[in-house]
Coordinates of all heavy atoms in Angstrom, one line a residue:
M1 N -11.9 -23.4 11.6 CA -11.1 -22.2 12.0 C -12.0 -21.0 11.6 O -12.6 -20.8 10.6 CB -9.8 -22.1 11.2 CG -8.7 -21.3 11.9 SD -7.2 -21.3 10.9 CE -7.4 -19.9 9.9
A2 N -12.1 -20.1 12.6 CA -12.8 -18.8 12.4 C -12.1 -18.0 11.3 O -11.0 -17.9 11.2 CB -12.8 -18.1 13.7
K3 N -13.0 -17.5 10.5 CA -12.6 -16.6 9.4 C -12.9 -15.2 9.6 O -14.1 -14.8 9.9 CB -13.2 -17.1 8.1 CG -12.2 -18.1 7.3 CD -13.0 -18.8 6.3 CE -13.1 -18.0 5.0 NZ -13.8 -18.8 4.0
K4 N -12.0 -14.3 9.6 CA -12.2 -12.9 9.8 C -13.0 -12.3 8.6 O -13.9 -11.5 8.8 CB -10.9 -12.1 10.0 CG -11.1 -10.8 10.7 CD -9.8 -10.2 11.0 CE -9.9 -8.9 11.7 NZ -8.6 -8.3 12.0
R5 N -12.5 -12.7 7.4 CA -13.3 -12.2 6.2 C -13.6 -13.4 5.3 O -12.8 -14.4 5.2 CB -12.3 -11.2 5.5 CG -12.3 -9.9 6.1 CD -11.3 -9.0 5.4 NE -11.2 -7.8 6.2 CZ -10.6 -7.5 7.3 NH1 -9.8 -8.5 7.7 NH2 -10.5 -6.4 7.9
K6 N -14.6 -13.3 4.5 CA -15.1 -14.3 3.6 C -14.0 -14.6 2.6 O -13.7 -15.7 2.3 CB -16.4 -13.9 2.9 CG -17.1 -15.0 2.2 CD -18.3 -14.5 1.5 CE -18.9 -15.7 0.7 NZ -20.0 -15.3 -0.2
S7 N -13.4 -13.4 2.1 CA -12.4 -13.5 1.1 C -10.9 -13.7 1.6 O -9.9 -13.7 0.8 CB -12.5 -12.4 0.2 OG -12.2 -11.2 0.9
R8 N -10.8 -13.8 2.9 CA -9.5 -13.8 3.5 C -8.7 -12.4 3.2 O -7.5 -12.4 3.1 CB -8.6 -15.0 3.2 CG -9.1 -16.3 3.8 CD -9.4 -17.4 2.9 NE -8.4 -17.6 1.8 CZ -8.7 -17.7 0.5 NH1 -10.0 -17.5 0.1 NH2 -7.8 -17.9 -0.3
G9 N -9.4 -11.4 2.9 CA -8.8 -10.1 2.6 C -8.2 -10.0 1.2 O -7.5 -9.1 0.9
R10 N -8.5 -11.1 0.4 CA -7.9 -11.1 -1.0 C -9.0 -11.5 -2.0 O -10.1 -11.9 -1.6 CB -6.8 -12.1 -1.1 CG -5.6 -11.7 -0.3 CD -4.5 -12.6 -0.4 NE -3.9 -12.7 -1.8 CZ -2.8 -13.3 -2.0 NH1 -2.2 -14.1 -1.1 NH2 -2.3 -13.4 -3.3
A11 N -8.7 -11.4 -3.3 CA -9.7 -11.8 -4.3 C -9.1 -13.0 -5.0 O -9.2 -13.1 -6.2 CB -10.0 -10.7 -5.3
K12 N -8.3 -13.8 -4.3 CA -7.5 -14.9 -4.9 C -8.4 -16.1 -5.3 O -8.1 -16.7 -6.3 CB -6.4 -15.3 -3.9 CG -5.4 -16.1 -4.5 CD -4.1 -16.2 -3.6 CE -4.4 -17.2 -2.5 NZ -4.3 -18.6 -2.9
G13 N -9.3 -16.5 -4.4 CA -10.1 -17.7 -4.6 C -9.2 -18.9 -4.4 O -8.4 -18.9 -3.6
G14 N -9.4 -19.8 -5.3 CA -8.6 -21.1 -5.2 C -7.4 -21.1 -6.0 O -6.6 -22.1 -6.0
K15 N -7.1 -20.0 -6.8 CA -5.9 -20.0 -7.6 C -4.7 -19.9 -6.8 O -4.7 -19.5 -5.6 CB -6.0 -18.9 -8.7 CG -5.8 -17.5 -8.2 CD -5.7 -16.6 -9.4 CE -5.3 -15.2 -8.9 NZ -6.2 -14.1 -9.2
G16 N -3.5 -20.2 -7.4 CA -2.3 -20.2 -6.6 C -1.7 -18.9 -6.3 O -2.5 -18.0 -5.8
R17 N -0.5 -18.7 -6.6 CA 0.2 -17.3 -6.4 C -0.3 -16.2 -7.4 O -0.8 -16.7 -8.5 CB 1.6 -17.4 -6.3 CG 2.3 -17.6 -7.6 CD 3.8 -17.8 -7.5 NE 4.4 -16.6 -6.8 CZ 4.8 -15.5 -7.6 NH1 4.5 -15.5 -8.8 NH2 5.4 -14.5 -6.9
S18 N -0.2 -15.1 -7.0 CA -0.5 -14.0 -7.9 C 0.6 -13.0 -8.0 O 1.5 -13.0 -7.1 CB -1.8 -13.3 -7.5 OG -1.7 -12.8 -6.2
E19 N 0.5 -12.1 -9.0 CA 1.6 -11.1 -9.3 C 1.6 -10.1 -8.1 O 0.6 -9.9 -7.4 CB 1.3 -10.4 -10.5 CG 1.5 -11.3 -11.8 CD 2.9 -11.8 -12.0 OE1 3.8 -10.9 -12.1 OE2 3.1 -13.0 -12.1
Y20 N 2.7 -9.5 -8.0 CA 2.9 -8.5 -7.0 C 2.9 -7.0 -7.6 O 3.3 -6.8 -8.7 CB 4.1 -8.7 -6.2 CG 4.0 -9.8 -5.2 CD1 4.1 -11.2 -5.6 CD2 3.7 -9.6 -3.9 CE1 4.0 -12.2 -4.8 CE2 3.6 -10.6 -3.0 CZ 3.7 -12.0 -3.4 OH 3.6 -13.0 -2.5
V21 N 2.5 -6.1 -6.7 CA 2.6 -4.6 -7.2 C 3.2 -4.0 -6.0 O 3.2 -4.4 -4.9 CB 1.2 -4.0 -7.6 CG1 0.7 -4.4 -8.9 CG2 0.1 -4.3 -6.5
S22 N 3.6 -2.7 -6.3 CA 4.2 -2.0 -5.2 C 3.1 -0.9 -4.8 O 2.5 -0.4 -5.6 CB 5.4 -1.2 -5.6 OG 6.4 -2.0 -5.8
C23 N 3.1 -0.7 -3.5 CA 2.1 0.3 -2.9 C 2.6 1.7 -3.4 O 3.9 2.0 -3.3 CB 2.1 0.2 -1.4 SG 1.2 1.6 -0.7
T24 N 1.8 2.5 -3.9 CA 2.1 3.8 -4.4 C 2.6 4.7 -3.2 O 3.5 5.6 -3.4 CB 0.9 4.5 -5.1 OG1 0.2 3.6 -5.8 CG2 1.2 5.7 -5.8
N25 N 2.0 4.5 -2.1 CA 2.5 5.4 -0.9 C 3.7 5.0 -0.2 O 4.6 5.8 0.0 CB 1.3 5.4 0.1 CG 1.4 6.5 1.0 OD1 1.8 7.6 0.7 ND2 1.0 6.2 2.3
C26 N 3.8 3.7 0.2 CA 5.0 3.4 1.0 C 5.9 2.3 0.3 O 7.0 2.1 0.8 CB 4.4 2.6 2.3 SG 3.7 1.0 2.1
G27 N 5.5 1.9 -0.9 CA 6.3 1.0 -1.7 C 6.5 -0.4 -1.3 O 7.3 -1.1 -1.8
S28 N 5.7 -0.9 -0.3 CA 5.7 -2.3 0.0 C 5.1 -3.1 -1.0 O 4.3 -2.7 -1.9 CB 4.9 -2.5 1.4 OG 3.5 -2.5 1.1
R29 N 5.6 -4.4 -1.1 CA 5.2 -5.3 -2.1 C 4.0 -6.1 -1.7 O 4.0 -6.7 -0.7 CB 6.4 -6.3 -2.3 CG 6.4 -6.9 -3.7 CD 7.8 -7.6 -3.8 NE 7.8 -8.6 -4.7 CZ 7.7 -9.9 -4.5 NH1 7.7 -10.4 -3.2 NH2 7.8 -10.8 -5.4
I30 N 2.9 -5.9 -2.5 CA 1.6 -6.6 -2.1 C 1.0 -7.3 -3.3 O 1.2 -6.9 -4.4 CB 0.6 -5.5 -1.6 CG1 0.9 -4.1 -2.1 CG2 0.5 -5.6 -0.1 CD1 -0.3 -3.3 -2.4
P31 N 0.3 -8.5 -3.1 CA -0.3 -9.2 -4.1 C -1.3 -8.3 -4.8 O -2.1 -7.6 -4.1 CB -0.9 -10.4 -3.5 CG -0.4 -10.4 -2.1 CD 0.1 -9.1 -1.8
V32 N -1.6 -8.4 -6.2 CA -2.5 -7.5 -6.9 C -3.9 -7.7 -6.4 O -4.6 -6.8 -6.3 CB -2.5 -7.9 -8.4 CG1 -2.8 -6.6 -9.2 CG2 -1.3 -8.5 -8.9
D33 N -4.3 -8.9 -6.0 CA -5.6 -9.2 -5.5 C -5.8 -8.7 -4.1 O -7.0 -8.8 -3.7 CB -6.0 -10.7 -5.7 CG -4.9 -11.6 -5.2 OD1 -4.6 -11.4 -4.1 OD2 -4.6 -12.5 -6.0
K34 N -4.8 -8.4 -3.4 CA -5.0 -7.8 -2.2 C -5.0 -6.3 -2.1 O -5.7 -5.7 -1.4 CB -4.0 -8.3 -1.1 CG -4.2 -7.9 0.3 CD -3.3 -8.6 1.3 CE -3.6 -8.2 2.7 NZ -2.9 -9.0 3.7
A35 N -4.2 -5.8 -3.0 CA -4.0 -4.3 -3.2 C -5.3 -3.6 -3.4 O -6.2 -4.1 -4.1 CB -3.0 -4.0 -4.2
I36 N -5.5 -2.4 -2.8 CA -6.6 -1.6 -3.1 C -6.3 -0.7 -4.3 O -5.4 0.1 -4.3 CB -7.1 -0.8 -1.8 CG1 -7.8 -1.7 -0.9 CG2 -8.0 0.2 -2.2 CD1 -6.9 -2.2 0.2
K37 N -7.1 -0.9 -5.4 CA -6.9 -0.2 -6.6 C -7.7 1.1 -6.6 O -9.0 0.9 -6.5 CB -7.2 -1.1 -7.8 CG -6.8 -0.6 -9.2 CD -7.3 -1.7 -10.2 CE -7.0 -1.1 -11.6 NZ -7.5 -2.1 -12.6
A38 N -7.2 2.2 -6.8 CA -7.9 3.4 -6.9 C -7.7 4.2 -8.2 O -6.5 4.6 -8.4 CB -7.6 4.3 -5.7
T39 N -8.6 4.4 -8.9 CA -8.5 5.1 -10.3 C -9.1 6.4 -10.1 O -10.4 6.5 -9.8 CB -9.1 4.2 -11.4 OG1 -8.5 2.9 -11.4 CG2 -8.7 4.8 -12.7
R40 N -8.5 7.4 -10.4 CA -8.9 8.8 -10.3 C -8.7 9.4 -11.7 O -7.7 9.3 -12.4 CB -8.2 9.6 -9.2 CG -8.3 9.1 -7.9 CD -9.4 9.8 -7.1 NE -10.0 8.9 -6.1 CZ -9.4 8.7 -5.0 NH1 -8.2 9.2 -4.7 NH2 -10.0 7.9 -4.1
R41 N -9.7 10.3 -12.0 CA -9.5 11.2 -13.3 C -9.0 12.5 -12.8 O -9.6 13.3 -12.2 CB -10.9 11.3 -13.9 CG -11.6 10.0 -14.2 CD -11.5 9.5 -15.6 NE -12.1 10.5 -16.7 CZ -11.6 10.6 -17.8 NH1 -10.6 9.9 -18.2 NH2 -12.2 11.4 -18.7
V42 N -7.7 12.7 -13.2 CA -7.0 14.0 -12.8 C -6.8 14.8 -13.9 O -6.5 14.4 -15.0 CB -5.8 13.7 -12.0 CG1 -6.1 13.2 -10.7 CG2 -4.8 12.8 -12.7
S43 N -6.8 16.1 -13.7 CA -6.5 17.1 -14.7 C -5.1 17.8 -14.2 O -5.0 18.1 -13.1 CB -7.6 18.2 -14.8 OG -7.1 19.2 -15.7
Y44 N -4.3 18.0 -15.1 CA -3.0 18.7 -14.9 C -3.1 20.1 -14.7 O -2.2 20.9 -14.4 CB -1.9 18.2 -15.8 CG -1.6 16.8 -15.6 CD1 -1.5 15.9 -16.7 CD2 -1.3 16.2 -14.4 CE1 -1.1 14.6 -16.5 CE2 -0.9 15.0 -14.2 CZ -0.9 14.1 -15.2 OH -0.5 12.8 -15.1
V45 N -4.3 20.7 -15.1 CA -4.6 22.2 -15.1 C -5.1 22.5 -13.8 O -5.9 21.9 -13.2 CB -5.4 22.5 -16.3 CG1 -5.5 24.1 -16.4 CG2 -5.0 22.0 -17.6
D46 N -4.7 23.7 -13.3 CA -5.1 24.2 -11.9 C -6.6 24.4 -12.0 O -7.1 25.0 -12.9 CB -4.4 25.6 -11.7 CG -4.7 26.2 -10.4 OD1 -4.4 25.5 -9.3 OD2 -5.4 27.2 -10.4
P47 N -7.4 24.0 -11.0 CA -8.8 24.0 -11.0 C -9.4 25.4 -11.3 O -10.4 25.5 -12.1 CB -9.2 23.6 -9.6 CG -8.1 22.8 -9.1 CD -6.9 23.3 -9.8
T48 N -8.9 26.5 -10.8 CA -9.4 27.9 -11.1 C -9.2 28.2 -12.5 O -10.0 28.8 -13.1 CB -8.8 28.8 -10.0 OG1 -7.4 28.6 -10.0 CG2 -9.4 28.8 -8.7
L49 N -8.0 27.8 -13.0 CA -7.6 28.2 -14.3 C -8.5 27.3 -15.3 O -8.9 27.9 -16.3 CB -6.1 27.9 -14.6 CG -5.6 28.1 -15.9 CD1 -5.6 29.7 -16.3 CD2 -4.1 27.6 -16.0
A50 N -8.7 26.1 -14.9 CA -9.5 25.2 -15.7 C -10.9 25.6 -15.9 O -11.5 25.5 -17.0 CB -9.5 23.7 -15.1
K51 N -11.4 26.2 -14.8 CA -12.8 26.8 -14.8 C -12.9 27.9 -15.9 O -13.9 27.9 -16.6 CB -13.2 27.2 -13.5 CG -14.7 27.4 -13.3 CD -14.9 27.8 -11.8 CE -16.4 28.1 -11.6 NZ -16.6 28.7 -10.2
E52 N -11.9 28.8 -15.9 CA -11.8 29.9 -16.7 C -11.8 29.4 -18.2 O -12.4 29.9 -19.1 CB -10.7 30.8 -16.5 CG -10.9 31.6 -15.2 CD -12.0 32.6 -15.3 OE1 -12.0 33.3 -16.3 OE2 -12.8 32.7 -14.4
L53 N -10.8 28.4 -18.4 CA -10.7 27.9 -19.7 C -11.8 27.2 -20.3 O -12.2 27.4 -21.5 CB -9.4 26.9 -19.7 CG -8.1 27.6 -19.6 CD1 -7.0 26.5 -19.3 CD2 -7.6 28.4 -20.9
R54 N -12.6 26.5 -19.4 CA -13.7 25.8 -19.9 C -14.8 26.8 -20.3 O -15.6 26.5 -21.1 CB -14.2 24.8 -18.7 CG -14.8 23.5 -19.3 CD -15.1 22.5 -18.1 NE -13.9 22.1 -17.5 CZ -13.7 22.2 -16.1 NH1 -14.7 22.8 -15.4 NH2 -12.7 21.7 -15.5
K55 N -14.9 27.9 -19.6 CA -15.9 28.9 -19.9 C -15.6 29.4 -21.3 O -16.6 29.8 -22.0 CB -15.8 30.1 -18.8 CG -17.1 30.7 -18.5 CD -16.9 31.8 -17.5 CE -16.9 31.2 -16.1 NZ -16.7 32.2 -15.1
S56 N -14.4 29.6 -21.7 CA -14.0 30.1 -23.0 C -14.0 28.9 -24.0 O -13.6 29.1 -25.2 CB -12.7 30.7 -23.0 OG -11.7 29.9 -22.6
G57 N -14.5 27.8 -23.6 CA -14.6 26.7 -24.6 C -13.5 25.9 -24.9 O -13.4 25.2 -26.0
T58 N -12.5 25.8 -24.0 CA -11.3 25.0 -24.3 C -11.5 23.6 -23.7 O -12.1 23.4 -22.7 CB -10.1 25.6 -23.5 OG1 -10.2 27.0 -23.7 CG2 -8.8 25.0 -24.0
F59 N -11.0 22.6 -24.5 CA -11.1 21.2 -24.1 C -9.9 20.9 -23.1 O -8.8 21.1 -23.5 CB -11.1 20.3 -25.3 CG -11.1 18.8 -24.8 CD1 -12.1 18.2 -24.2 CD2 -9.8 18.2 -25.0 CE1 -11.9 16.9 -23.8 CE2 -9.7 16.9 -24.6 CZ -10.8 16.2 -24.0
I60 N -10.2 20.6 -21.9 CA -9.1 20.2 -20.9 C -9.2 18.7 -20.7 O -10.1 18.1 -20.2 CB -9.4 20.9 -19.6 CG1 -9.2 22.4 -19.9 CG2 -8.3 20.6 -18.6 CD1 -10.2 23.3 -19.0
P61 N -8.0 18.1 -21.2 CA -8.0 16.6 -21.0 C -7.9 16.2 -19.5 O -7.2 16.9 -18.8 CB -6.8 16.2 -21.8 CG -5.9 17.4 -21.9 CD -6.8 18.6 -21.7
R62 N -8.6 15.1 -19.2 CA -8.4 14.5 -17.9 C -7.8 13.1 -18.0 O -8.4 12.3 -18.8 CB -9.7 14.5 -17.2 CG -10.2 15.9 -17.0 CD -11.6 15.8 -16.3 NE -11.6 15.6 -15.0 CZ -12.6 15.1 -14.2 NH1 -13.7 14.8 -14.8 NH2 -12.5 15.0 -12.9
I63 N -6.8 12.9 -17.4 CA -6.0 11.6 -17.5 C -6.4 10.7 -16.3 O -6.6 11.2 -15.1 CB -4.5 11.8 -17.6 CG1 -4.2 12.6 -18.8 CG2 -3.7 10.4 -17.5 CD1 -3.8 14.1 -18.6
S64 N -6.8 9.5 -16.6 CA -7.1 8.6 -15.5 C -5.8 7.9 -15.0 O -5.0 7.4 -15.6 CB -8.1 7.4 -15.9 OG -7.5 6.6 -16.8
V65 N -5.6 8.1 -13.6 CA -4.4 7.6 -13.0 C -4.8 6.5 -11.9 O -5.6 6.7 -11.2 CB -3.7 8.8 -12.2 CG1 -2.5 8.2 -11.4 CG2 -3.2 9.8 -13.1
T66 N -4.2 5.4 -12.2 CA -4.4 4.2 -11.3 C -3.3 4.0 -10.3 O -2.2 4.0 -10.6 CB -4.7 2.9 -12.2 OG1 -5.6 3.1 -13.1 CG2 -5.1 1.7 -11.3
K67 N -3.8 3.9 -9.0 CA -2.8 3.8 -8.0 C -3.2 2.5 -7.2 O -4.4 2.2 -6.9 CB -2.8 5.0 -7.0 CG -2.2 6.2 -7.6 CD -2.3 7.4 -6.7 CE -1.6 8.6 -7.4 NZ -1.8 9.8 -6.5
Y68 N -2.1 1.8 -6.8 CA -2.3 0.6 -5.9 C -1.9 1.0 -4.5 O -0.8 1.4 -4.3 CB -1.5 -0.5 -6.5 CG -2.0 -1.1 -7.7 CD1 -1.6 -0.8 -8.9 CD2 -3.1 -2.1 -7.7 CE1 -2.1 -1.3 -10.1 CE2 -3.6 -2.6 -8.8 CZ -3.1 -2.3 -10.0 OH -3.6 -2.7 -11.2
Y69 N -2.8 0.7 -3.5 CA -2.4 0.9 -2.1 C -2.4 -0.4 -1.3 O -3.1 -1.3 -1.6 CB -3.3 1.9 -1.5 CG -3.4 3.2 -2.0 CD1 -4.2 3.6 -3.0 CD2 -2.5 4.2 -1.5 CE1 -4.2 4.9 -3.5 CE2 -2.5 5.5 -2.0 CZ -3.4 5.8 -3.0 OH -3.4 7.1 -3.5
C70 N -1.5 -0.4 -0.3 CA -1.5 -1.6 0.6 C -2.7 -1.3 1.6 O -3.1 -0.1 1.7 CB -0.1 -1.8 1.3 SG 0.2 -0.6 2.5
V71 N -3.1 -2.3 2.3 CA -4.3 -2.1 3.1 C -4.0 -1.0 4.2 O -4.9 -0.1 4.3 CB -4.7 -3.4 3.9 CG1 -5.8 -3.3 4.9 CG2 -5.1 -4.4 2.8
S72 N -3.0 -1.0 4.8 CA -2.7 0.0 5.9 C -2.7 1.5 5.3 O -3.2 2.4 5.9 CB -1.4 -0.3 6.7 OG -0.4 -0.7 5.9
C73 N -2.1 1.6 4.1 CA -2.1 2.9 3.5 C -3.5 3.3 3.1 O -3.8 4.5 3.2 CB -1.1 3.0 2.3 SG 0.6 3.0 2.9
A74 N -4.2 2.4 2.6 CA -5.5 2.7 2.1 C -6.5 3.1 3.3 O -7.3 4.0 3.1 CB -6.1 1.5 1.3
V75 N -6.3 2.5 4.4 CA -7.1 2.8 5.6 C -6.6 4.2 6.1 O -7.5 5.1 6.3 CB -6.9 1.8 6.8 CG1 -7.5 2.2 8.0 CG2 -7.5 0.4 6.3
H76 N -5.3 4.4 6.1 CA -4.8 5.7 6.5 C -5.3 6.8 5.6 O -5.6 8.0 6.1 CB -3.3 5.6 6.6 CG -2.6 6.9 7.1 ND1 -2.7 7.3 8.4 CD2 -1.9 8.0 6.5 CE1 -2.0 8.4 8.6 NE2 -1.6 8.8 7.4
A77 N -5.3 6.6 4.3 CA -5.7 7.6 3.3 C -7.2 7.8 3.2 O -7.7 8.7 2.5 CB -5.1 7.3 2.0
G78 N -7.9 6.9 3.9 CA -9.3 7.1 3.9 C -10.1 6.5 2.6 O -11.2 6.8 2.3
I79 N -9.4 5.7 1.9 CA -9.9 5.0 0.7 C -10.9 3.9 1.1 O -12.0 3.8 0.6 CB -8.8 4.5 -0.3 CG1 -8.0 5.7 -0.8 CG2 -9.5 3.8 -1.4 CD1 -6.6 5.4 -1.2
V80 N -10.4 3.1 2.1 CA -11.3 2.1 2.7 C -11.4 2.3 4.2 O -10.5 3.1 4.7 CB -10.8 0.6 2.4 CG1 -11.1 0.2 1.0 CG2 -9.3 0.4 2.8
R81 N -12.4 1.8 4.9 CA -12.5 1.9 6.2 C -12.4 0.6 7.0 O -12.7 -0.5 6.5 CB -13.8 2.6 6.6 CG -13.9 4.0 6.3 CD -14.8 4.8 7.2 NE -14.6 6.2 6.9 CZ -15.6 6.9 6.0 NH1 -16.6 6.2 5.6 NH2 -15.4 8.1 5.8
V82 N -12.0 0.7 8.2 CA -12.1 -0.5 9.2 C -13.6 -0.8 9.4 O -14.3 0.1 9.8 CB -11.3 -0.2 10.5 CG1 -11.5 -1.4 11.4 CG2 -9.9 0.0 10.2
R83 N -13.9 -2.0 9.0 CA -15.4 -2.4 9.2 C -15.7 -3.3 10.5 O -14.7 -3.9 10.9 CB -15.8 -3.1 7.9 CG -15.8 -2.2 6.7 CD -16.3 -2.9 5.5 NE -15.5 -4.0 5.0 CZ -15.8 -4.8 4.1 NH1 -16.9 -4.7 3.4 NH2 -14.9 -5.8 3.7
S84 N -16.9 -3.1 10.8 CA -17.3 -3.9 12.0 C -17.2 -5.4 11.7 O -17.2 -5.8 10.6 CB -18.7 -3.5 12.5 OG -19.6 -3.9 11.6
R85 N -17.3 -6.2 12.8 CA -17.3 -7.7 12.7 C -18.2 -8.3 11.6 O -17.8 -9.1 10.8 CB -17.6 -8.2 14.0 CG -16.9 -9.5 14.5 CD -17.1 -9.6 15.9 NE -15.8 -9.5 16.6 CZ -15.1 -10.4 17.3 NH1 -15.7 -11.6 17.3 NH2 -14.0 -10.2 17.8
E86 N -19.5 -7.8 11.6 CA -20.4 -8.3 10.7 C -20.3 -7.7 9.3 O -20.4 -8.5 8.3 CB -21.9 -8.0 11.2 CG -22.4 -8.8 12.4 CD -21.7 -8.3 13.7 OE1 -21.7 -7.0 13.9 OE2 -21.4 -9.1 14.5
E87 N -20.0 -6.5 9.3 CA -19.9 -5.7 8.0 C -18.7 -6.3 7.1 O -18.8 -6.3 5.9 CB -19.6 -4.2 8.4 CG -20.2 -3.4 7.3 CD -19.9 -1.9 7.5 OE1 -19.6 -1.5 8.7 OE2 -19.9 -1.2 6.5
R88 N -17.6 -6.7 7.7 CA -16.5 -7.1 7.0 C -16.6 -8.5 6.3 O -15.8 -8.9 5.5 CB -15.3 -7.1 7.7 CG -15.1 -8.0 8.9 CD -13.8 -7.7 9.7 NE -13.7 -8.5 10.8 CZ -13.4 -8.0 12.1 NH1 -13.0 -6.8 12.2 NH2 -13.3 -8.7 13.1
K89 N -17.8 -9.2 6.6 CA -18.0 -10.5 6.0 C -18.7 -10.3 4.6 O -18.6 -11.0 3.7 CB -19.1 -11.3 6.8 CG -18.7 -11.6 8.2 CD -17.8 -12.9 8.3 CE -17.4 -13.1 9.8 NZ -16.3 -13.9 9.8
V90 N -19.1 -9.0 4.4 CA -19.7 -8.6 3.1 C -18.6 -8.4 2.2 O -17.7 -7.5 2.4 CB -20.7 -7.4 3.3 CG1 -21.3 -7.1 1.9 CG2 -21.7 -7.6 4.3
V91 N -18.7 -9.0 1.0 CA -17.7 -8.8 -0.1 C -18.3 -7.7 -1.0 O -19.3 -7.9 -1.5 CB -17.3 -10.1 -0.8 CG1 -16.3 -9.8 -1.9 CG2 -16.8 -11.1 0.2
E92 N -17.4 -6.7 -1.2 CA -17.9 -5.6 -2.1 C -17.4 -5.9 -3.5 O -16.3 -6.3 -3.7 CB -17.4 -4.3 -1.6 CG -18.3 -3.8 -0.5 CD -17.7 -2.7 0.4 OE1 -16.8 -2.0 -0.1 OE2 -18.1 -2.6 1.6
Ligands
LIG101 ZN1 1.5 1.3 1.6

């Protein structure tokens, strides 16, 4: 059978079922190994204000926020791209 992707779109391998997570954007239930995980370091302080505060030597904490996206939302948000026939065989 022809395979679209080497990993079948997941990182499951030969193991059985895997846990599910909810997509941050649409709330759909997706397996953890299929979900696109995006970790961002965010600051709760307004960027312009943060710049001023940093100039005066203030420490501004940055919190890492992890979000899980389903494939369609990740494509829509530009986190991942639709890849060409050859390119999608490459596992990143
Ligand atoms: Zn989604």
Side-chain angles (χ1 to χ4, degrees):
M1 205 179 88
K3 265 162 83 178
K4 199 171 179 179
R5 284 174 185 82
K6 196 186 176 188
S7 65
R8 290 122 45 229
R10 294 179 67 170
K12 193 170 78 72
K15 75 170 188 232
R17 74 183 297 278
S18 56
E19 292 294 306
Y20 285 82
V21 285
S22 291
C23 172
T24 316
N25 196 39
C26 69
S28 77
R29 202 164 160 263
I30 24 149
V32 211
D33 48 52
K34 186 172 184 169
I36 284 97
K37 188 180 175 184
T39 308
R40 298 264 153 75
R41 302 264 296 152
V42 289
S43 176
Y44 291 130
V45 186
D46 183 65
T48 45
L49 179 68
K51 200 179 174 185
E52 286 295 312
L53 287 168
R54 217 174 294 123
K55 212 178 276 174
S56 62
T58 318
F59 172 73
I60 298 142
R62 294 173 84 201
I63 296 106
S64 66
V65 176
T66 304
K67 286 174 178 177
Y68 288 98
Y69 292 95
C70 71
V71 175
S72 40
C73 285
V75 170
H76 183 74
I79 297 154
V80 287
R81 288 212 175 99
V82 175
R83 293 182 293 175
S84 70
R85 215 164 247 244
E86 289 74 42
E87 213 188 332
R88 68 186 169 223
K89 301 275 180 202
V90 182
V91 180
E92 279 160 29

